[in-house]
Amino acid sequence: MIRPRRSLLFMPGSNARALEKGRNLPADGLILDLEDSVAPDAKAAAREQIAKAVAADGYGKRELLIRINSLDTAWWSDDVAMAGQTATDGILVPKVSTVDDLRLVTSRLAEVGADPALKVWAMIETARAVLDADLLAATAHEEGSRLAGFVFGPNDISRETRIRMVPGRSTMLPMISHCILATRAHGLEILDGPYSDFANTDGFSQECIQARDLGFDGKTLIHPGQIDTCNAIFTPPAAEVADARKILAAFELPENASRGAIQIDGRMVERLHAEMAKRTIAIADAIAEMAK
């Protein structure tokens, strides 16, 4: 099933007001955070608060992920236990570096009897994770795997590698493309990391356009003010959707049933374009359904 993931907003788990506000925001998904936005002495309270917020429901069709603390902390196991016992869609695991990291989280979810539908998302934030992106993505084929996709984390990668973050992200494009290829090779999704300078609306718009054109499925956000712009950029334009419907309709004509390529409006269109059109239509329909 295709679901919109244009915008996933981080919400601090220790902030009850933010968790409540999230019920009415137009984001496709929310990431209820136990990691960076929560102080060490507030971890337990935030965990409890998130559990209560999810149990109270009211988030509608929004996808709900819980970002746990990293596996080198004392909190991650309890975070996973809580997430595995709530009606959430998945967990986001920060600083995943090895296949064993993913297997450890999957094992913990099994221990607490988590719903098989609960998915795992891996944050790619280390040099090792980027280098081994294909190995990490390949675990999606293992029996019992819950891996749904990656979230690219530029800030931590920059900190660890000393690669500078510059406007346009030219310094990071090889890593980004490598991670996108790894996910697509194994049928996974991938989300872009956040844009920290939320007051720079032009810069944010340009980065969303770049992310879309690079092949990201959507973008993680740190401020509600970024949602509308992000949604608009990752929504297929009406003209593109109309063209996709025209392509499918043409290939469905009896005279084109056995053809690998046909002419539409003076251009050559192949079967591969029909497959691309199917996804465009599916995501457009899913977005329309989300808005109901």
Side-chain angles (χ1 to χ4, degrees), residues 12-15 33-47 69 75:
S14 56
N15 187 330
D33 190 28
L34 288 167
E35 195 207 14
D36 286 346
S37 66
V38 180
D41 60 358
K43 300 288 188 184
R47 191 184 302 127
N69 286 282
W75 304 296

Side-chain angles (χ1 to χ4, degrees), residues 186-222:
H186 298 285
L188 301 177
E189 301 275 291
I190 184 166
L191 304 174
D192 195 10
Y195 184 82
S196 300
D197 187 9
F198 58 82
N200 182 356
T201 56
D202 289 340
F204 176 68
S205 294
Q206 289 303 310
E207 189 161 294
C208 284
I209 291 169
Q210 180 196 54
R212 178 201 63 196
D213 293 348
L214 284 169
F216 281 110
D217 295 292
K219 193 166 180 64
T220 54
L221 312 175
I222 59 168

Side-chain angles (χ1 to χ4, degrees), residues 110-129:
E111 287 177 0
V112 301
D115 187 324
L118 187 149
K119 299 300 184 182
V120 170
W121 289 76
M123 294 201 73
I124 305 302
E125 301 179 288
T126 68
R128 176 52 54 192

Side-chain angles (χ1 to χ4, degrees), residues 192-273:
D192 195 10
Y195 184 82
S196 300
D197 187 9
F198 58 82
N200 182 356
T201 56
D202 289 340
F204 176 68
S205 294
Q206 289 303 310
E207 189 161 294
C208 284
I209 291 169
Q210 180 196 54
R212 178 201 63 196
D213 293 348
L214 284 169
F216 281 110
D217 295 292
K219 193 166 180 64
T220 54
L221 312 175
I222 59 168
H223 194 279
Q226 298 175 320
I227 297 173
D228 288 341
T229 296
C230 191
N231 282 349
I233 290 170
F234 278 95
T235 297
E240 185 177 316
V241 177
D243 187 59
R245 296 191 191 280
K246 180 185 289 188
I247 289 172
L248 286 190
F251 272 108
E252 288 169 359
L253 293 173
E255 61 266 32
N256 294 328
S258 62
R259 294 185 177 181
I262 59 177
Q263 289 190 38
I264 300 177
D265 297 335
R267 60 195 165 112
M268 190 63 69
V269 179
E270 301 179 44
R271 288 280 173 185
L272 66 90
H273 297 113

Side-chain angles (χ1 to χ4, degrees), residues 63-285:
E63 186 168 19
L64 294 182
L65 303 182
I66 296 174
R67 180 165 70 169
I68 66 170
N69 286 282
S70 60
L71 303 183
D72 59 355
T73 70
W75 304 296
W76 79 268
S77 183
D78 288 339
D79 293 346
V80 174
M82 178 274 288
Q85 293 165 2
T86 64
T88 191
D89 296 296
I91 62 173
L92 178 59
V93 186
K95 299 177 179 65
V96 168
S97 287
T98 69
V99 167
D100 285 342
D101 290 343
L102 291 174
R103 291 172 180 159
L104 181 61
V105 172
T106 300
S107 176
R108 181 64 176 137
L109 285 169
E111 287 177 0
V112 301
D115 187 324
L118 187 149
K119 299 300 184 182
V120 170
W121 289 76
M123 294 201 73
I124 305 302
E125 301 179 288
T126 68
R128 176 52 54 192
V130 173
L131 289 171
D132 289 347
D134 182 59
L135 293 176
L136 294 171
T139 65
H141 307 297
E142 296 180 356
E143 184 177 356
S145 175
R146 297 169 179 268
L147 187 63
F150 292 166
V151 174
F152 188 77
N155 293 311
D156 280 285
I157 288 173
S158 178
R159 175 187 56 80
E160 181 175 301
T161 64
R162 297 190 289 278
I163 295 172
R164 290 179 181 268
M165 295 180 65
V166 299
R169 299 194 291 187
S170 60
T171 53
M172 288 196 171
L173 289 179
M175 294 185 293
I176 291 172
S177 297
H178 176 67
C179 291
I180 291 172
L181 289 173
T183 57
R184 301 311 183 211
H186 298 285
L188 301 177
E189 301 275 291
I190 184 166
L191 304 174
D192 195 10
Y195 184 82
S196 300
D197 187 9
F198 58 82
N200 182 356
T201 56
D202 289 340
F204 176 68
S205 294
Q206 289 303 310
E207 189 161 294
C208 284
I209 291 169
Q210 180 196 54
R212 178 201 63 196
D213 293 348
L214 284 169
F216 281 110
D217 295 292
K219 193 166 180 64
T220 54
L221 312 175
I222 59 168
H223 194 279
Q226 298 175 320
I227 297 173
D228 288 341
T229 296
C230 191
N231 282 349
I233 290 170
F234 278 95
T235 297
E240 185 177 316
V241 177
D243 187 59
R245 296 191 191 280
K246 180 185 289 188
I247 289 172
L248 286 190
F251 272 108
E252 288 169 359
L253 293 173
E255 61 266 32
N256 294 328
S258 62
R259 294 185 177 181
I262 59 177
Q263 289 190 38
I264 300 177
D265 297 335
R267 60 195 165 112
M268 190 63 69
V269 179
E270 301 179 44
R271 288 280 173 185
L272 66 90
H273 297 113
E275 292 303 313
M276 294 166 67
K278 285 180 183 178
R279 177 172 174 82
T280 297
I281 293 168
I283 196 67
D285 288 348

